[in-house]
Amino acid sequence: MDIQNSDSKYRTAAAIVDQVLKQALVVVVPGMSVAAICSYADQLVEANCAVVFRKEGSIERGVAFPTTVSVNRIIQNYTPGPDDDYVLREGDVAKIDVSAHIDGCMAAAAHTAVATNAPGTAVTGRRADAISAAYYACEVAVRMIRPGQSARNVVKALGLVASGFGCAVAADTYTCQIDRFVVSGKNTFANRFDPDMPVPDFTFETGETYTIDCTISSGNGVARESAHSPTVFQRDVSRQHSLKLRTSRTLFSEVCRRYSVFPFLMRDAVGDSAALKAGISECVRSQLLAPFAVTMDKEHGDTYVAQFKATVSCHYSGPVRLTRALPMPNVESATVIPPTSEVGQILALECEQ
């Protein structure tokens, strides 16, 4: 694929994500089902992807990662079916994460909204702190994706923003280098500082593209698996294994037929078939399929997690934002970032979009 065509596909995928995210945010209101929002967004992605690049025939296109709507303390990967659904309540903090790809060229974005019947009233307290921290963390990280800047400095800056609001970067959230049909490349790194998992010592280079997942908790950010069963899975195309059970072989054959490298919803793969569902465990034990755990902050009480995500290209002149920034939610935190501070100076840098 030539560079110009590839760039066009990345930008088209980003434009689709931007449009779908805006539409999905409209329905984040009390009384709305999380499962309904996820399904609605995924249907919009598929419909929009289907009408672009028609001249290229049967190229792969559509959802790059199923839409998730992770609420309150949940950190990531919550896209429930009808049997595990949640209905939004007044004051819930909802994080919508949408992605799309055209011929393997993907883009992803996330935004946080508060479900409320009084949108004109500013959100305050710890909700506002988490949302403000995540919003500014994303804006800072985007501006740092430039040639010569290091991943370690990005992690440091994210920690500075979070701590400034009395918050913490959530565990198991990443900045991922992406490429065609690659959702997590060699220069992927964790956004939370962990002495047991050092940040790779590398600098960004012209031509690279990243998805930056800035997820911030008003608690300690330490993640644990929730009671919600995983619904998103991904094939490990590098592994081979002889499955013993016929149900497992049938399931894996169906997954291989329908899905490539991108994560998918297991309920779409198995439908109502009890036999196919029975094959999930062996496929996971054999590491042919990897589940995405629904994680949540360990802290109870007044704990909220907010998320903003962007897809950014590293251009020789600086960062080029492929997915556009939406307006900051209507929140009022008691914390203000001084323009002369290290974080304030990064926020003052230009970013093309």
Side-chain angles (χ1 to χ4, degrees), residues 72-157:
N72 295 332
R73 287 172 54 218
I74 296 178
I75 294 172
Q76 59 188 349
N77 302 328
Y78 184 53
T79 173
D83 56 339
D84 189 33
D85 199 5
Y86 177 82
V87 176
L88 294 176
R89 303 170 184 172
E90 180 70 31
D92 279 342
V93 176
K95 304 168 285 294
I96 304 185
D97 194 336
V98 177
S99 68
H101 80 95
I102 306 293
D103 197 19
C105 301
M106 69 167 289
H111 195 81
T112 297
V114 177
T116 178
N117 290 315
T121 302
V123 174
T124 58
R126 295 302 280 158
R127 289 181 182 86
D129 291 336
I131 293 171
S132 298
Y135 178 86
Y136 288 118
C138 189
E139 293 304 304
V140 163
V142 164
R143 285 160 174 75
M144 296 181 74
I145 305 296
R146 56 183 68 240
Q149 182 60 271
S150 73
R152 290 180 176 178
N153 283 341
V154 172
V155 174
K156 176 187 173 184

Side-chain angles (χ1 to χ4, degrees), residues 16-334:
I16 289 171
V17 167
D18 288 342
Q19 181 58 40
V20 172
L21 188 54
K22 288 179 184 177
Q23 291 176 265
L25 286 166
V26 172
V27 296
V28 177
V29 293
M32 179 59 71
S33 150
V34 167
I37 298 173
C38 293
S39 177
Y40 172 60
D42 283 343
Q43 289 173 22
L44 288 174
V45 169
E46 294 289 353
N48 280 276
C49 287
V51 298
V52 296
F53 291 95
R54 286 182 168 181
K55 292 182 179 179
E56 297 203 14
S58 57
I59 60 171
E60 188 177 338
R61 65 185 79 201
V63 172
F65 192 106
T67 297
T68 62
V69 180
S70 301
V71 182
N72 295 332
R73 287 172 54 218
I74 296 178
I75 294 172
Q76 59 188 349
N77 302 328
Y78 184 53
T79 173
D83 56 339
D84 189 33
D85 199 5
Y86 177 82
V87 176
L88 294 176
R89 303 170 184 172
E90 180 70 31
D92 279 342
V93 176
K95 304 168 285 294
I96 304 185
D97 194 336
V98 177
S99 68
H101 80 95
I102 306 293
D103 197 19
C105 301
M106 69 167 289
H111 195 81
T112 297
V114 177
T116 178
N117 290 315
T121 302
V123 174
T124 58
R126 295 302 280 158
R127 289 181 182 86
D129 291 336
I131 293 171
S132 298
Y135 178 86
Y136 288 118
C138 189
E139 293 304 304
V140 163
V142 164
R143 285 160 174 75
M144 296 181 74
I145 305 296
R146 56 183 68 240
Q149 182 60 271
S150 73
R152 290 180 176 178
N153 283 341
V154 172
V155 174
K156 176 187 173 184
L158 293 177
L160 278 175
V161 177
S163 62
F165 286 87
C167 297
V169 177
D172 302 327
T173 57
Y174 299 86
T175 293
C176 297
Q177 184 185 14
I178 59 174
D179 208 332
R180 185 169 178 246
F181 289 108
V182 177
V183 298
S184 183
K186 66 176 183 177
N187 285 344
T188 292
F189 58 92
N191 290 332
R192 178 185 171 97
F193 175 76
D194 184 346
D196 296 326
M197 189 170 61
V199 180
D201 185 16
F202 72 90
T203 57
F204 304 115
E205 297 181 4
T206 298
E208 295 175 340
T209 304
Y210 291 85
T211 56
I212 308 171
D213 182 2
C214 295
T215 303
I216 306 292
S217 173
S218 66
N220 59 26
V222 177
R224 68 171 176 84
E225 289 194 22
S226 71
H228 302 288
S229 298
T231 54
V232 180
F233 290 74
Q234 184 179 25
R235 287 174 56 198
D236 186 340
V237 295
S238 67
R239 293 189 65 88
Q240 293 183 342
H241 187 85
S242 297
L243 296 167
K244 296 179 181 180
L245 300 177
R246 184 176 65 180
T247 54
S248 304
R249 295 194 298 271
T250 303
L251 169 63
F252 190 63
S253 176
E254 178 68 7
V255 168
C256 292
R257 182 183 69 83
R258 295 180 58 181
Y259 307 105
S260 63
V261 300
F262 292 106
F264 61 92
L265 286 171
M266 183 59 76
R267 61 177 173 271
D268 290 346
V270 301
D272 296 326
S273 171
L276 289 180
K277 290 179 183 177
I280 296 174
S281 294
E282 187 184 7
C283 289
V284 171
R285 286 197 307 270
S286 302
Q287 298 181 324
L288 295 174
L289 298 178
F292 286 80
V294 180
T295 59
M296 65 192 307
D297 194 294
K298 280 187 173 182
E299 283 196 14
H300 295 275
D302 190 22
T303 300
Y304 301 95
V305 178
Q307 177 196 28
F308 293 85
K309 179 187 284 187
T311 303
V312 187
S313 239
C314 184
H315 192 255
Y316 72 86
S317 62
V320 176
R321 190 167 191 154
L322 300 182
T323 52
R324 294 183 174 273
L326 295 176
M328 186 175 179
N330 185 16
V331 300
E332 289 183 2
S333 171

